[in-house]
Amino acid sequence: MSRLIVPLIFGIVGTAILVSLGNWQVRRLAEKEAYLSAIDARIADAPVMLPMSPNPAEDRFLPVEVSGTYTDQELHVLVSVKKVGPGYRIISAFETDTGRRVMIDRGFIFTPRKNDTRYIGPATVTGNLHWPDEHDSYTPDNDLTGNIWFAREVADMAKALQTEPVLVIARQSSENDTSVSPLPVDSSGIPNDHLQYIVTWYGLAIVWVAMTLYYLRLTLNRTRKTKKA
């Protein structure tokens, strides 16, 4: 029986660790779902006036309403929309009625419509403040000459358009420019992989138990054969 003690302890400890990791992911899943629900609720709140100095941490997804004028200055961010295809997000400079210059993410256009003329003039826009985190080590440099951007870096876009580092993702506009399809912000882009991790850790725990039992049985059979011999 002494031969079984070490693998038995090893099996119990390994199973306990894997199950605890699975339990931790269950708690993380509940926390993440609550977090996403809170974000969705905030996104859908009644819009407020644009804060004087928006904070990227505190004001992310804050619903706002701004009135002013679309200018003819815009940036084109290359994107691919699921079940739609490739195109560009249109980021326009927007001069508010109070004299501020901010950016409006007006939405999506198909690639061939990149250089089309879009609505310029007065509008009231309802949307959400956002500071997207889309840039990583694989993101290519922006093609400034061709006006093709590969990530919505708020600070860089603001510098190019000479606006405040404030981006409003349009949800609705008083001017229905049919050439642009709004891509309102939502929580679908926030990863929530905890269910996959739960399945992985509990699955490994089951495999660990099965392997431990198999090894114990194999060891026990060998011991019995040795005694008989």
Side-chain angles (χ1 to χ4, degrees):
M1 293 299 293
S2 60
R3 295 183 180 181
L4 303 179
I5 293 177
V6 173
L8 180 60
I9 293 175
F10 193 66
I12 293 174
V13 172
T15 301
I17 292 173
L18 293 170
V19 170
S20 66
L21 288 171
N23 292 341
W24 178 68
Q25 288 297 334
V26 169
R27 295 192 294 272
R28 291 289 293 124
L29 176 63
E31 292 171 358
K32 194 58 169 288
E33 289 179 341
Y35 172 70
L36 294 177
S37 296
I39 289 177
D40 288 333
R42 185 177 202 193
I43 289 172
D45 278 347
V48 299
M49 292 181 60
L50 182 66
M52 286 302 299
S53 300
N55 184 292
E58 297 176 0
D59 295 321
R60 189 180 299 271
F61 307 123
L62 178 71
V64 297
E65 182 177 279
V66 291
S67 295
T69 303
Y70 281 114
T71 74
D72 60 355
Q73 298 170 285
E74 63 180 33
L75 304 178
H76 306 148
V77 183
L78 187 64
V79 295
S80 181
V81 178
K82 189 176 181 180
K83 297 183 180 180
V84 176
Y88 296 95
R89 280 183 178 268
I90 302 300
I91 312 297
S92 292
F94 188 84
E95 297 180 352
T96 72
D97 290 341
T98 58
R100 299 171 65 179
R101 279 176 62 88
V102 298
M103 296 177 289
I104 305 290
D105 183 334
R106 300 174 69 169
F108 176 84
I109 61 165
F110 286 103
T111 305
R113 307 194 68 175
K114 181 179 186 296
N115 296 317
D116 286 4
T117 300
R118 276 165 281 281
Y119 172 77
I120 299 171
T124 297
V125 180
T126 302
N128 298 86
L129 294 178
H130 194 25
W131 288 263
D133 183 13
E134 300 172 338
H135 190 278
D136 57 30
S137 58
Y138 298 100
T139 305
D141 293 334
N142 298 314
D143 178 3
L144 301 181
T145 302
N147 193 7
I148 300 176
W149 293 61
F150 298 98
R152 289 177 295 171
E153 291 293 310
V154 172
D156 292 341
M157 293 191 302
K159 184 177 180 180
L161 292 174
Q162 296 182 324
T163 70
E164 297 178 33
V166 175
L167 177 65
V168 179
I169 313 297
R171 182 173 296 275
Q172 293 180 336
S173 176
S174 60
E175 293 298 325
N176 185 24
D177 186 350
T178 57
S179 68
V180 185
S181 301
L183 292 175
V185 65
D186 58 32
S187 62
S188 62
I190 301 175
N192 184 12
D193 301 323
H194 296 293
L195 181 58
Q196 298 177 27
Y197 296 144
I198 290 171
V199 173
T200 298
W201 290 122
Y202 284 155
L204 287 174
I206 293 172
V207 172
W208 194 274
V209 169
M211 290 178 63
T212 300
L213 292 176
Y214 174 77
Y215 183 80
L216 291 174
R217 182 178 179 183
L218 185 64
T219 302
L220 185 60
N221 288 338
R222 286 177 178 175
T223 301
R224 287 173 177 174
K225 289 180 181 180
T226 300
K227 289 181 178 181
K228 290 181 179 179

